[in-house]
Amino acid sequence: MTKNYSVRTDLALEERERFESDQVEISGVILEEDYDESSETRITRVIIETENGAKAMGKPAGTYLTLESPALAVPDEEEQMRISEKIRDCISELLRKNFEAKEGKEEEDLSILVVGLGNRNITPDALGPCVADHLNVTRHIIREYGKYAMGVEHAKLVSAIVPGVMGQTGMETTEIVRGIVRETRPDLVIAVDALAARNSRRLNRTIQIADTGIHPGSGVGNYRNGMTKESLGVPVIGIGVPTVVDGATIVHDAIAHLLENLEESEMEEFLQELITPRLHSMFVTPKDVDETVKYLSFTISEGLNTAFGEI
């Protein structure tokens, strides 16, 4: 790895793997893994417990659940429904662990705001808006006709918003969402966004669900204000799928593989000359990303819909 070359990734799992390659243990960071051999599905928990661990990882303290499955890239309805159930379980796990219901309110009657982050006009960045399109929103029905209009004793008020990006609105996304939270007073915000990965094999095959909120655009170098419990005043769960990888990363990995027999200093010097600043502004996405985003957004929305029915 060159001195001036920085890994761009939104995945806590990939940050943890970076230390594993150097055989370094991180104090205050726990790694747990569950693997289902029959479905080839792996769920990894990266739990950052201390401030020192957060500083080493470059991520806020909290729990990061990473679901990996080759079936995510397969447009098979049965497989996608199975993954939706896994997403439901991950969301429910984080809610049970972190969410504190308001005093005097039944847990089944929570108000939840889902924020679909990203630019609908740019396919790799359209995951959040597409997920919002498929959600079963109920807030308007319950406020108008009461919770019994849903046919159940307890019903959650689910609302959704697609705030766009600053280039479209002239406003920080967090500013928009903060105003909505102040007006509608949800108990919980769930933010869905497209992410950037370090490893191209994880593109469209990985879902990260974290209780630390989300920082729109951080993976591609567009650092915006984070949507967190501190900035919004309510718990925030972030859900994301990596849809792009840094172009410089692909070049770095390919050349490093070819030159792996060179001395470390020689390889670093060569890569430093090869990986120019122009490559760091280039991001690569799979050619079938338009189709993939469509069915992945449906898979995630189904996971959310079923989770809202069981919280």
Side-chain angles (χ1 to χ4, degrees):
M1 192 67 66
T2 65
K3 291 182 181 179
N4 296 328
Y5 179 76
S6 60
V7 174
R8 283 184 175 174
T9 178
D10 288 311
L11 301 178
L13 174 60
E14 292 188 329
E15 290 287 358
R16 183 65 181 84
E17 288 174 342
R18 184 163 58 91
F19 290 94
E20 286 182 355
S21 63
D22 297 330
Q23 298 182 342
V24 175
E25 290 295 327
I26 310 175
S27 176
V29 179
I30 298 174
L31 184 67
E32 301 174 348
E33 186 177 285
D34 295 326
Y35 182 67
D36 184 346
E37 188 173 354
S38 62
S39 62
E40 298 183 84
T41 300
R42 187 187 312 274
I43 296 179
T44 307
R45 293 171 180 80
V46 177
I47 306 171
I48 305 176
E49 296 185 315
T50 65
E51 289 302 319
N52 287 337
K55 184 177 180 180
M57 290 280 290
K59 301 284 184 185
T63 300
Y64 300 80
L65 304 179
T66 306
L67 189 157
E68 298 176 271
S69 174
L72 273 167
V74 178
D76 181 277
E77 185 174 347
E78 184 176 338
E79 289 291 338
Q80 295 302 317
M81 290 305 297
R82 180 182 59 79
I83 293 170
S84 291
E85 294 173 359
K86 298 284 187 182
I87 296 171
R88 173 202 63 196
D89 294 342
C90 289
I91 294 171
S92 298
E93 176 182 331
L94 290 183
L95 288 172
R96 287 193 301 268
K97 181 177 180 181
N98 294 281
F99 187 75
E100 297 179 0
K102 290 185 176 180
E103 184 178 354
K105 174 174 286 192
E106 292 288 342
E107 189 175 348
E108 295 89 344
D109 296 327
L110 297 177
S111 176
I112 301 169
L113 170 65
V114 179
V115 182
L117 298 170
N119 188 339
R120 190 187 295 275
N121 298 320
I122 300 177
T123 306
D125 197 32
L127 179 72
C130 289
V131 168
D133 290 344
H134 297 306
L135 285 175
N136 295 332
V137 293
T138 59
R139 183 175 182 269
H140 60 305
I141 298 174
I142 295 173
R143 285 171 60 87
E144 182 72 22
Y145 303 106
K147 59 186 177 181
Y148 295 106
M150 303 302 299
V152 293
E153 184 178 355
H154 297 285
K156 283 157 286 301
L157 280 75
V158 179
S159 54
I161 182 68
V162 178
V165 295
M166 189 164 67
Q168 297 170 322
T169 66
M171 296 176 283
E172 286 276 4
T173 302
T174 302
E175 293 176 330
I176 298 172
V177 176
R178 187 184 297 123
I180 295 171
V181 168
R182 188 182 302 118
E183 181 67 25
T184 64
R185 300 180 182 275
D187 302 307
L188 169 72
V189 170
I190 296 180
V192 185
D193 198 9
L195 307 179
R198 167 67 177 81
N199 193 321
S200 59
R201 70 178 176 83
R202 287 198 166 99
L203 294 182
N204 300 329
R205 291 172 170 82
T206 304
I207 299 175
Q208 177 175 272
I209 305 174
D211 61 4
T212 57
I214 206 161
H215 290 75
S218 60
V220 296
N222 297 330
Y223 293 97
R224 306 265 69 91
N225 292 334
M227 294 175 54
T228 64
K229 183 176 182 179
E230 290 72 26
S231 64
L232 298 183
V234 295
V236 180
I237 290 178
I239 302 175
V241 175
T243 60
V244 297
V245 64
D246 192 339
T249 294
I250 297 176
V251 175
H252 177 278
D253 291 350
I255 299 301
H257 179 69
L258 291 174
L259 304 180
E260 60 186 5
N261 293 324
L262 290 180
E263 294 291 334
E264 179 70 19
S265 59
E266 294 176 329
M267 186 176 73
E268 285 190 0
E269 182 180 355
F270 181 82
L271 291 174
Q272 183 63 48
E273 294 177 359
L274 178 69
I275 301 175
T276 67
R278 283 176 293 181
L279 276 175
H280 285 291
S281 64
M282 180 180 295
F283 289 84
V284 182
T285 191
K287 64 180 181 180
D288 60 347
V289 67
D290 50 350
E291 179 184 0
T292 306
V293 165
K294 287 181 181 178
Y295 63 74
L296 278 180
S297 63
F298 178 78
T299 300
I300 294 173
S301 65
E302 282 301 297
L304 288 171
N305 289 334
T306 54
F308 296 157
E310 297 184 1
I311 296 171

